[in-house]
Amino acid sequence: MIARLGDFQFPDSVARLYPDTPDRPWVLEVGFGDGRFWPHFAATFPEAPNYLGVELSGVSLLKAHRRLRDAGLDNAILTKMPADVLVRSVIPHAGLDLIVVNFPDPWPKAGHTDHRLLRVPFFQLAASRLKPGGMILLTTDHDEYFEFACEQARASGVMRVERTDPPAAALETKYALKWRDLGLGVNHARFIPTAHQPVPHGPTTPYPEDPTTVPHAVLTLPDTFSPQTFEKVTERNPGSRGAEEGGAWTVILLDLYAGLRRDGWVVLAHVVEGELTQEVLIGITAREDGTHLVRLAKFGGPIITTGVKAAVGVVTRWLEAQGAVVKHHGY
Ligand SMILES: C[S@@+](CC[C@H](N)C(=O)[O-])C[C@H]1O[C@@H](n2cnc3c(N)ncnc32)[C@H](O)[C@@H]1O
């Protein structure tokens, strides 16, 4: 099944998420891609462990969902969000038996290592979410990232590193097959917690969302409206409850494009809320009565958060500054 952020509790529990199999081990896979690892790995257990997969790509989410459903893996939950948000806010302390990371994005360019997942903060967070005896399994073709991850694990002060052979299932993923076809080898390590320092959970409602209403506004554009006047717009809201409470957002309107099929435009917006960053599209579409509809596009499956709603407001306010008159809005 696919779970959206709003389907989780913060933190959640294995008993609530897997009511039919609460006593089985719990495995988290980060960046599952098209989902090939889990059917192979699950088959190595007498009963498939409870599985939680987290991905950033909506296309991968749908491919993996089809694959796991066809494999009859009923106690598998897939979700689309950044892994660190899920681990911090949703996973309870000492909840997981295993965290699997196969072929993580290596961010090879100089100055980009901050984007890597396997750094000290993630190891400390993961150590507090693993059960005693639990571990992280990393398989990667990327030698430099592998060494980097091993160093970061040691530097975290809470992980021991064991270099071993990868599980056979990790050699069946899309990226594993790609590297194998090129004749390249892989590295594998287990990161085993040596200390349990509880890392606090995130806010109890990290990104409140209301899936029932798509944020929108209806307005009348002036005859003089010209999309050429568009310039990058940045709005920030520090949040009445402070960034730690999840109320803060930054919205940057990056660009405005003419619509190809419909009369209107599309605005590309970058929305940052704590650790969650989303790129969303906001349409400005002509309606039959001469007004325009400003509405979040569902393309890419955005998580409808406070910040994403605010982005529709930022576009609307920019249009007001160009002379538009707002008839009503819901954001
Ligand atoms: C190189 S691919 C590997 C996919 C798959 N594990 C495989 O071996 O074929 C890395 C995947 O990690 C996902 N990813 C990157 N950063 C992520 C994050 N912070 N949280 C969740 N998924 C992430 C990407 O969307 C991408 O699908």
Side-chain angles (χ1 to χ4, degrees):
M1 105 183 205
I2 293 180
R4 295 169 59 92
L5 192 64
D7 296 324
F8 290 108
Q9 290 185 353
F10 309 100
D12 219 315
S13 71
V14 78
R16 198 191 76 83
L17 292 171
Y18 309 94
D20 298 333
T21 54
D23 299 325
R24 296 195 193 171
W26 192 11
V27 178
L28 170 72
E29 184 181 0
V30 175
F32 50 74
D34 66 4
R36 294 184 207 201
F37 170 77
W38 188 239
H40 285 284
F41 198 59
T44 64
F45 293 80
E47 291 177 318
N50 295 318
Y51 174 85
L52 180 59
V54 62
E55 240 307 327
L56 283 180
S57 152
V59 174
S60 296
L61 181 83
L62 297 178
K63 284 187 185 166
H65 180 244
R66 209 173 304 130
R67 192 183 298 277
L68 300 195
R69 190 196 54 204
D70 292 350
L73 290 160
D74 299 333
N75 57 338
I77 299 175
L78 301 176
T79 192
K80 175 176 172 290
M81 69 179 88
D84 47 359
V85 171
L86 180 86
V87 178
R88 181 181 302 280
S89 299
V90 174
I91 306 292
H93 288 291
L96 293 168
D97 292 81
L98 202 58
I99 299 176
V100 179
V101 189
N102 292 321
F103 304 92
D105 290 336
W107 293 98
K109 286 193 193 150
H112 283 192
T113 52
D114 279 0
H115 294 295
R116 289 177 172 171
L117 177 75
L118 296 172
R119 290 178 295 118
V120 167
F122 185 79
F123 282 115
Q124 290 174 338
L125 176 63
S128 93
R129 301 300 190 264
L130 283 164
K131 289 179 190 162
M135 62 182 78
I136 302 176
L137 302 185
L138 167 67
T139 305
T140 175
D141 59 294
H142 200 275
D143 297 345
E144 195 271 318
Y145 188 11
F146 183 69
E147 295 304 331
F148 173 91
C150 292
E151 271 167 34
Q152 292 281 304
R154 283 189 208 99
S156 73
V158 293
M159 289 280 176
R160 165 164 76 79
V161 180
E162 276 183 13
R163 296 172 184 229
T164 62
D165 291 332
L171 303 178
E172 300 295 339
T173 73
K174 183 175 168 188
Y175 274 76
L177 298 179
K178 195 165 145 179
W179 303 126
R180 192 196 298 169
D181 286 349
L182 293 171
L184 300 173
V186 297
N187 303 285
H188 180 78
R190 297 172 177 170
F191 303 112
I192 302 165
T194 51
H196 184 85
Q197 297 164 2
V199 175
H201 285 104
T204 46
T205 50
Y207 307 104
E209 60 177 331
D210 174 3
T212 56
T213 51
V214 177
H216 69 280
V218 174
L219 44 74
T220 308
L221 289 178
D223 295 339
T224 53
F225 175 70
S226 163
Q228 319 302 351
T229 56
F230 181 84
E231 281 181 0
K232 195 167 118 175
V233 177
T234 303
E235 266 194 39
R236 288 194 178 83
N237 181 330
S240 53
R241 294 166 295 146
E244 284 306 304
E245 293 289 317
W249 49 259
T250 300
V251 171
I252 306 171
L253 305 184
L254 293 169
D255 216 340
L256 179 142
Y257 309 95
L260 276 182
R261 289 198 304 155
R262 288 207 209 152
D263 194 9
W265 302 270
V266 175
V267 177
L268 173 64
H270 183 77
V271 182
V272 183
E273 293 159 274
E275 292 163 326
L276 182 68
T277 300
Q278 301 191 75
E279 307 272 319
V280 298
L281 297 176
I282 296 159
I284 307 168
T285 319
R287 305 196 327 155
E288 278 180 3
D289 64 0
T291 59
H292 278 75
L293 174 68
V294 180
R295 192 163 76 151
L296 176 72
K298 291 230 170 161
F299 176 79
I303 304 168
I304 303 178
T305 58
T306 309
V308 166
K309 288 182 191 173
V312 177
V314 175
V315 173
T316 305
R317 283 191 286 285
W318 177 73
L319 290 169
E320 278 187 293
Q322 313 306 308
V325 177
V326 176
K327 300 187 110 186
H328 65 261
H329 69 77
Y331 50 77

